Amino acid sequence: MFDFSHQLLKYSALALKQCAHDFETIDEITEYNQQKMLKAFVKNGVSEAMFAPSTGYGYGDRGREVIDRVFADAVGAEDAVVRHNFTCGTHTLTVALFGVLRPGDTLLCVTGLPYDTIQPAIGIGGDSGHTGSLHDFGVKYAQVELASDGHPDFAAIEKAVREQQPKMVYIQRSRGYSLRPSLSVEDIEIIANLAHSYSSAVVMVDNCYGEFTERREPVEAGADLMAGSLIKNPGGGIAPTGGYIAGRHALVELCCNRLTTPGLGREVGATLGHTRELFMGLFHAPHVVGEALKTAAFASSLFTSLGFETTPQPYETRHDIIQAIKLQKAENLIAFCRGLQKASPIDSFVVPEPSDMPGYDSKVIMAAGAFTLGSSIELSADGPLREPYAVWMQGGLNFHSAKLAVLSAAQALLDEQKKVK
Ligand SMILES: *Cc1c(COP(=O)(O)O)cnc(C)c1O
């Protein structure tokens, strides 16, 4: 059923060989983080009784209380809040922003323009004044651009922190849908040290796509708070929805007040039977992230040998699960997404078409065949139809299946090129 050409299978074998060292490193990180995870489960005495659903107010839901503790321990944080009630990553990050910031405060983003969906929450780029954004509430916004090589501009960050004395220094760890490199936890540590040396700022990290890709999480390297989505890395492909915020206890408490209400905070919130899935997904997360990292490393090797520019490149250290490949031509990008879709467990029969998307000035094409709608810890890919026709690919619940999908994408692309000739 998977009709890969002899030529492609040779490239595939070669790519696998080239990945051997990357895979070893990934396995070491996975094993370390999986140990951390198991330890957190054991330490907190997770038991089956905790999976019982609560309804109504959800008072005294033991599973809800314990998953917060397990998550905190697994990421080396003082405290955490893990809830299915967070509707997505953007919502989770927004709760953290509004939880901490007050009118008159300054939010300083030190990694250039934040992720697209966060911009309206901050009120960047023409806030009508009536959306309920941070800007609407009188929170000021400032930004430090990345250096020309795409890395943080530490000197500019130091200057901005000294001069602006922000309430919050905001770091986006992952590249998102840009071609800049992702931040290492080491880079985050340098920024956190700068921020804490020259101001009393809260250092907050958008940790989306970064969880369990390194041995340390940002809150173990000086960040005060971090947040992310459960349909990405820390949901392990099992959580059906939700998000988390982790970090210093007092800050997490403020976020809980914002999530529900001041006074009630984390004491309410029926779990409706989702607790088992959230525990199970969290438990699997380090392993699943390892599978996704292997998928990304394999794709990088394969497409490099097919003559395309990739970022991260083979052998580059990874700080998130995203792999970008510059496919050079619209036809290549379309063929890639269609090939990937064809080897997805769900919706394999669907043919992706480029279409207009709100907020984009060019058409966008997406491939996703996931058990959970929009889940990007499951293998998915997308890209806008404009130069350099890059595709951003991420996820893969298991490498063996995701590898087939990457090969299917490559085969579709090779077939497309043959057609053109
Ligand atoms: C995915 C993502 C978000 C937002 O998450 P959604 O779940 O799509 O709302 C924010 N920042 C980064 C870097 C992301 O990758």
Side-chain angles (χ1 to χ4, degrees), residues 87-93 114-118 170 172-177 180 206-209 228-232 242 322 374 376:
T87 58
C88 60
T90 306
H91 178 210
T92 314
L93 289 157
Y115 192 77
D116 289 66
T117 56
I118 309 298
Y170 184 92
Q172 182 182 312
R173 179 173 177 187
S174 168
R175 67 187 63 230
Y177 297 106
R180 69 131 161 122
D206 170 354
N207 203 29
C208 282
Y209 288 132
S229 163
L230 294 189
I231 62 166
K232 294 179 180 172
I322 298 181
S376 46

Side-chain angles (χ1 to χ4, degrees), residues 7 37 52 71 91 95 108 148 172 178 182 184 191 199 202 219 238 256 259 276 286 312 323 357 370 383 396:
Q7 177 204 17
M37 186 61 70
F71 196 102
H91 178 210
V95 166
L108 177 69
S148 55
Q172 182 182 312
S178 77
S182 302
S184 63
I191 296 172
S199 75
V202 168
V219 290
I238 294 173
C256 291
L259 171 62
R276 180 173 173 274
Q323 180 63 50
M357 280 268 290

Side-chain angles (χ1 to χ4, degrees), residues 341-342 344 346-352:
Q341 185 80 32
K342 260 168 64 179
S344 299
I346 311 299
D347 292 338
S348 56
F349 50 86
V350 169
V351 180

Side-chain angles (χ1 to χ4, degrees), residues 93-101 107 118 121-122 134 168 170 204:
L93 289 157
T94 301
V95 166
L97 291 171
F98 277 89
V100 173
L101 293 163
L107 165 64
I118 309 298
I122 297 172
L134 285 174
M168 180 185 279
Y170 184 92
M204 147 97 189

Side-chain angles (χ1 to χ4, degrees), residues 59-398:
Y59 288 139
D61 185 313
R62 189 71 190 124
R64 191 188 63 216
E65 290 166 7
V66 172
I67 201 166
D68 287 352
R69 285 308 325 152
V70 171
F71 196 102
D73 288 341
V75 299
E78 217 174 84
D79 196 4
V81 56
V82 184
R83 293 292 184 278
H84 76 267
N85 311 78
F86 289 116
T87 58
C88 60
T90 306
H91 178 210
T92 314
L93 289 157
T94 301
V95 166
L97 291 171
F98 277 89
V100 173
L101 293 163
R102 296 293 176 266
D105 287 346
T106 297
L107 165 64
L108 177 69
C109 178
V110 296
T111 44
L113 199 59
Y115 192 77
D116 289 66
T117 56
I118 309 298
Q119 294 172 24
I122 297 172
I124 300 173
D127 191 316
S128 68
H130 303 292
T131 58
S133 68
L134 285 174
H135 175 262
D136 199 359
F137 279 87
V139 174
K140 290 172 270 190
Y141 176 74
Q143 185 174 306
V144 179
E145 299 305 326
L146 294 163
S148 55
D149 62 359
H151 288 278
D153 186 340
F154 297 115
I157 293 171
E158 182 184 321
K159 184 166 178 282
V161 168
R162 277 177 189 270
E163 287 174 5
Q164 315 222 14
Q165 292 298 307
K167 174 69 175 291
M168 180 185 279
V169 166
Y170 184 92
I171 299 167
Q172 182 182 312
R173 179 173 177 187
S174 168
R175 67 187 63 230
Y177 297 106
S178 77
L179 290 164
R180 69 131 161 122
S182 302
L183 265 75
S184 63
V185 171
E186 230 175 323
D187 280 346
I188 293 172
E189 188 163 41
I190 296 171
I191 296 172
N193 283 336
L194 282 175
H196 292 146
S197 303
Y198 301 112
S199 75
S200 51
V202 168
V203 175
M204 147 97 189
V205 178
D206 170 354
N207 203 29
C208 282
Y209 288 132
E211 299 90 352
F212 309 122
T213 59
E214 295 190 43
R215 281 182 168 76
R216 290 190 304 166
E217 293 297 328
V219 290
E220 294 170 284
D224 301 297
L225 206 58
M226 64 185 194
S229 163
L230 294 189
I231 62 166
K232 294 179 180 172
N233 303 14
I238 294 173
T241 184
Y244 77 88
I245 300 172
R248 277 169 40 207
H249 171 68
L251 297 172
V252 172
E253 282 290 314
L254 285 173
C255 296
C256 291
N257 281 351
R258 177 71 198 191
L259 171 62
T260 68
T261 78
L264 294 178
R266 72 201 316 163
E267 302 303 323
V268 292
T271 53
L272 308 173
H274 292 301
T275 308
R276 180 173 173 274
E277 289 166 307
L278 299 199
F279 266 122
M280 201 165 159
L282 180 61
F283 178 72
H284 275 93
H287 174 74
V288 171
V289 168
E291 299 295 285
L293 286 170
K294 286 180 180 176
T295 305
F298 173 72
S300 179
S301 264
L302 182 69
F303 280 86
T304 299
S305 58
L306 293 175
F308 296 96
E309 200 182 318
T310 65
T311 169
Q313 294 181 309
Y315 311 121
E316 224 176 295
T317 310
R318 288 169 189 275
H319 311 294
D320 66 17
I321 61 167
I322 298 181
Q323 180 63 50
I325 308 166
K326 295 185 191 173
L327 294 171
Q328 297 160 1
K329 283 194 305 198
E331 295 76 27
N332 290 346
L333 175 56
I334 295 168
F336 181 102
C337 288
R338 290 182 176 167
L340 195 89
Q341 185 80 32
K342 260 168 64 179
S344 299
I346 311 299
D347 292 338
S348 56
F349 50 86
V350 169
V351 180
E353 287 286 345
S355 67
D356 292 311
M357 280 268 290
Y360 285 88
D361 46 15
S362 50
K363 285 183 188 295
V364 174
I365 188 163
M366 299 183 170
F371 292 86
T372 295
L373 189 68
S375 165
S376 46
I377 185 61
E378 299 183 58
L379 187 62
S380 49
D382 38 70
L385 274 87
R386 59 164 185 247
E387 292 283 345
Y389 298 99
V391 71
W392 281 263
M393 189 201 90
Q394 62 276 313
L397 294 181
N398 73 68

